[in-house]
Amino acid sequence: MTTDSAQVKAALRTQRIETPSWAYGNSGTRFKVFAQQGVPRTPQEKIDDAAQVHKYTGIAPTVALHIPWDKVDDYAALAQHARDRGVQVGAINSNVFQDDDYMLGSVTHPDPKVREKALNHLLECVDIMDETGSRDLKLWFSDGTNYPGQDDIRARQDRLAEALAAVYERLGDDQRFLLEYKLFEPAFYTTDLPDWGTSYAHCLKLGPKAQVVVDTGHHAPGTNIEFIVAFLLREGKLGGFDFNSRFYADDDLMVGAADPFQLYRIMDQVIQGGGYTDEIAFMLDQCHNIEPKIPGQIRSVLNVQEATAKALLIDIEALRAAQQAGDVLGANAVFMDAYNTDVRPLLAELRAEMGLDPDPMAAYARSGYFEKIRDGRKDGQAAGWGA
Ligand code: RM4
Ligand code: MN
C-alpha cells in the first residue's frame, strides 16, 4: 500500500458526521416502544446527548432536528444551547406523516386544504432554518397509495412538483433541500417518491438548491447503492446521506452493522467522486430500540469512520493501472486489500493526536454520563417519536 498514513489521517480529521436528535429519544417498532432509562425529555437534552457523541468521537459536531418532535418556542436559543455544548444544529427534518389529516397523503393529498397545511409546515421548517442557521431541509414524504385505483398516480406527481416548487422558491441563497426517496412503507402499492430516479427528476427540474439524499435503508434488497452514489455525484445531484443498516426493509439499525463492506464501497465512491466535502451532508438516520442510545450513536460514527479510513487507503494508482491493463483480479485485489486492512490502530493513533481517548466507547462508558442522566432524568416525560 503506497498511501501515506499521514495523508489518510489528515483526510479523516476533516470528516463530519451528523447525528439525529431522534436517535436519543425512545423509539421502537409498530409493535412496541421499549422505554430506556435516562432518555432526554426535551430537545435541549437531546442536544446534550449529541454533544457527548462529539466529545468522544471528535467528528460529530452537528445534530439534526425533526419538527415537530423538536418544537421549541425559541429556535435561536436552541441553536445557542447547542453552541454552548460545543455542537451546532444541522439539518431540519420536516414531518408530514404523523397527523390524522395525512392519512391519504400530505403534499399529494387529493384535498387542496390538506396539501396547503402540509406545505405550510414545510415553509415553517425553512423559517426555523433561518433561526438556527441550518443549511439543509430534509424532505421525506410517506405519501402513496395502498390500492390500485385509489388515486391518480400522475396527478399526485403534479401535486408533489407544485409543493416542491413552492418550497424551493422560499429557500434562501445558502439553503437547500434534500429530497429523500423510499421504496415502500407506509404506502404499499405506490409511493410518490419511491426511488432515486424520481427524486432526481424533481430536483433536476428545480435547480441546484434541490438535491437528492440517499437513505441507505430505503432500497430493495440487493440494490447497488454505490452505483446510485456514483451517478448522483457525477451529476452534481447528491446532497447527502441518511446512514443506517437494513436486513429486510427500513430497519434503521446501526450503520455498518449489517454490511460493513457495502458502507466501504459507498465511501469509496464518495471519495472517488469528489464527494468527501462539506457539500455532502453525512447524516445518521437511526433508532436504537434495544441497544443504549448514546453508545449506539458513538458506534455508528466509528463505523462510518472505519469504512472511510479503509476507502482512503485504496492504492488508487495501482487500481488504475490494473484497470487500464484489464487486470480484473489485480484490480479487485487492490480494492479488497484496503478493505481487509485493520485500520483500528491507525484510528487510535489519530484520536490520540486529536486529544481524544483512543477508545471512544470505553471512554464514554467510564465517564459516568449515563449514570448522571439515568438519575437526573427520572421525572417528566421521556421524548419519543410517538408512533
Ligand atoms: C423515514 C425517513 C426520514 C426520517 C423518518 C423518521 O423513513 O427515513 O428521513 O425522518 O423516517
Ligand atoms: Mn431517512
Side-chain angles (χ1 to χ4, degrees), residues 138 180 215 218 242 244 285:
K138 178 135 55 73
E180 194 166 344
D215 184 314
H218 288 187
D242 267 2
N244 50 47
D285 178 11

Side-chain angles (χ1 to χ4, degrees), residues 38-108:
V39 163
R41 295 156 300 178
T42 61
Q44 286 81 356
E45 288 181 349
K46 293 182 199 171
I47 289 173
D48 296 349
D49 290 2
Q52 292 293 307
V53 177
H54 183 47
K55 182 175 174 187
Y56 293 102
T57 62
I59 54 168
T62 58
V63 51
L65 301 184
H66 217 299
I67 309 299
W69 298 338
D70 296 317
K71 207 172 171 67
V72 290
D73 291 336
D74 187 344
Y75 288 97
L78 189 65
Q80 186 56 47
H81 177 89
R83 284 194 292 275
D84 292 344
R85 298 293 183 276
V87 291
Q88 287 190 25
V89 171
I92 300 298
N93 288 251
S94 56
N95 182 332
V96 283
F97 50 88
Q98 281 186 315
D99 189 294
D100 284 341
D101 283 343
Y102 301 142
M103 190 171 78
L104 301 180
S106 62
V107 294
T108 66

Side-chain angles (χ1 to χ4, degrees), residues 144-153 188-190:
T145 64
N146 272 2
Y147 295 100
Q150 181 190 321
D151 197 7
D152 181 330
I153 293 175
F188 293 116
Y189 168 54
T190 59

Side-chain angles (χ1 to χ4, degrees), residues 1-238:
M1 211 155 302
T2 58
T3 317
D4 184 18
S5 74
Q7 273 177 329
V8 172
K9 284 193 280 185
L12 288 170
R13 275 170 183 269
T14 66
Q15 187 160 37
R16 300 283 173 262
I17 298 160
E18 181 161 309
T19 74
S21 70
W22 54 102
Y24 304 101
N26 280 326
S27 59
T29 65
R30 63 200 170 95
F31 298 103
K32 171 74 179 157
V33 171
F34 294 104
Q36 291 194 18
Q37 292 182 308
V39 163
R41 295 156 300 178
T42 61
Q44 286 81 356
E45 288 181 349
K46 293 182 199 171
I47 289 173
D48 296 349
D49 290 2
Q52 292 293 307
V53 177
H54 183 47
K55 182 175 174 187
Y56 293 102
T57 62
I59 54 168
T62 58
V63 51
L65 301 184
H66 217 299
I67 309 299
W69 298 338
D70 296 317
K71 207 172 171 67
V72 290
D73 291 336
D74 187 344
Y75 288 97
L78 189 65
Q80 186 56 47
H81 177 89
R83 284 194 292 275
D84 292 344
R85 298 293 183 276
V87 291
Q88 287 190 25
V89 171
I92 300 298
N93 288 251
S94 56
N95 182 332
V96 283
F97 50 88
Q98 281 186 315
D99 189 294
D100 284 341
D101 283 343
Y102 301 142
M103 190 171 78
L104 301 180
S106 62
V107 294
T108 66
H109 197 287
D111 181 347
K113 282 204 289 301
V114 177
R115 297 206 292 273
E116 196 190 332
K117 173 174 167 167
L119 176 60
N120 284 339
H121 169 73
L122 304 182
L123 298 175
E124 183 201 333
C125 286
V126 186
D127 295 342
I128 293 171
M129 292 163 73
D130 290 341
E131 288 186 58
T132 55
S134 300
R135 177 189 61 180
D136 294 333
L137 170 66
K138 178 135 55 73
L139 300 173
W140 175 69
F141 300 101
S142 60
D143 297 37
T145 64
N146 272 2
Y147 295 100
Q150 181 190 321
D151 197 7
D152 181 330
I153 293 175
R154 282 169 300 125
R156 291 177 78 93
Q157 286 301 311
D158 294 342
R159 298 169 199 151
L160 174 64
E162 201 180 307
L164 292 176
V167 178
Y168 192 89
E169 202 51 44
R170 167 65 184 84
L171 292 172
D173 291 344
D174 299 324
Q175 294 172 334
R176 351 177 265 183
F177 73 59
L178 309 181
L179 187 58
E180 194 166 344
Y181 57 90
K182 180 173 168 178
L183 178 62
F184 79 103
E185 197 207 17
F188 293 116
Y189 168 54
T190 59
T191 294
D192 294 320
L193 276 163
D195 53 25
W196 70 267
T198 311
S199 176
Y200 173 74
H202 280 282
C203 289
L204 198 61
K205 258 197 190 135
L206 289 168
K209 292 191 276 181
Q211 297 281 321
V212 181
V213 57
V214 174
D215 184 314
T216 48
H218 288 187
H219 307 86
T223 300
N224 183 332
I225 299 176
E226 63 269 28
F227 176 82
I228 299 170
V229 170
F231 182 88
L232 291 174
L233 264 175
R234 188 171 175 277
E235 298 298 328
K237 274 295 182 197
L238 180 68

Side-chain angles (χ1 to χ4, degrees), residues 23 25-27 34 36 251-255 257 286-297 299-300:
N26 280 326
S27 59
F34 294 104
Q36 291 194 18
D251 305 349
D252 282 340
L253 300 174
M254 294 187 298
V255 60
Q286 301 179 177
C287 291
H288 304 290
N289 301 342
I290 59 168
E291 66 275 27
K293 295 166 196 301
I294 298 173
Q297 286 290 286
R299 175 84 274 155
S300 304

Side-chain angles (χ1 to χ4, degrees), residues 276-324:
Y276 190 62
T277 72
D278 287 345
E279 287 299 296
I280 309 294
F282 297 93
M283 302 171 284
L284 303 180
D285 178 11
Q286 301 179 177
C287 291
H288 304 290
N289 301 342
I290 59 168
E291 66 275 27
K293 295 166 196 301
I294 298 173
Q297 286 290 286
I298 294 176
R299 175 84 274 155
S300 304
V301 169
L302 301 183
N303 284 354
V304 178
Q305 188 184 40
E306 234 175 87
T308 308
K310 291 181 179 203
L312 286 165
L313 278 169
I314 296 174
D315 185 340
I316 293 299
E317 263 173 50
L319 185 69
R320 293 283 169 262
Q323 289 172 346
Q324 282 303 313

